[in-house]
Structure formats: C-alpha cells, structure tokens
Amino acid sequence: MTGKSAVTQTDWSKVDAHSIQPEEYQELPEWTDEMFQAAEERVGGKRAPRGRHSAGPNKISTTVRFDSDVLTAFRATGKGWQTRMNNALRDWLKLHPSG
C-alpha cells in the first residue's frame, strides 16, 4: 500500500518500510490466554464471528459429484443454495421411499 489512507490518515508506505528491530520486541507483551479470549477480530470494520458455525448434530460432510448444470442452477439461487439442495433431495425421498 502506498500513500496515506483517507480513513486512518496513516502513512502506510512509512509503515511498510519499517522493519522491527530486536530491541522493539521488549515493548510487545507476551499474549496470555485471557488476552486471546478477550480479543475481537474485525473484518471490513465489522466484528467477525468466532469459529466455524455449527452445522448441527445430523450433518455429515461428504464428497458428491453433480452435473455442472445442476450445481450451477443451485448456486445461482444465492446464499443458502446447499440447504435448498438438501431440501430438494429430502422432498425426492418423500416421493420415492426406499423399501
């Protein structure tokens, strides 16, 4: 990054050019578990969720191959396409019970 940021007024080119010297490490405290727990991660100015969301106890990760047109059609429906695909398969099972 070069120049000054309009948001922070930081001269990023100066920051990028600086290399930390050994004596500067004395200024940095060792992070404790409490510090990590209290830390707040931000992405794009918004608080980022911690960890991965829970898929629920009945979800199983697997690898399946679909025809590209089928996958493209579901992905084109936007966020939540995997849930909609799961629901479509569940509806098919209702119409075609095994046995």
Side-chain angles (χ1 to χ4, degrees), residues 1-87:
M1 219 176 221
T2 60
K4 290 189 177 185
S5 169
V7 176
T8 63
Q9 297 298 309
T10 299
D11 186 345
W12 290 110
S13 58
K14 186 175 179 180
V15 172
D16 290 340
H18 177 75
S19 59
I20 298 175
Q21 302 302 310
E23 60 272 11
E24 291 177 281
Y25 284 107
Q26 297 173 27
E27 300 172 16
L28 305 172
E30 183 85 21
W31 273 56
T32 64
D33 289 338
E34 293 78 23
M35 292 168 88
F36 276 107
Q37 290 298 321
E40 185 176 275
E41 183 179 353
R42 293 189 167 265
V43 177
K46 296 181 181 177
R47 196 171 138 247
R50 288 180 173 242
R52 188 176 170 162
H53 72 279
S54 173
N58 297 326
K59 301 289 182 176
I60 299 172
S61 178
T62 186
T63 300
V64 180
R65 294 182 180 270
F66 295 103
D67 290 337
S68 62
D69 60 329
V70 172
L71 196 56
T72 299
F74 271 97
R75 284 182 172 165
T77 64
K79 190 174 181 177
W81 68 269
Q82 291 171 317
T83 300
R84 285 187 289 283
M85 183 178 265
N86 188 72
N87 292 340

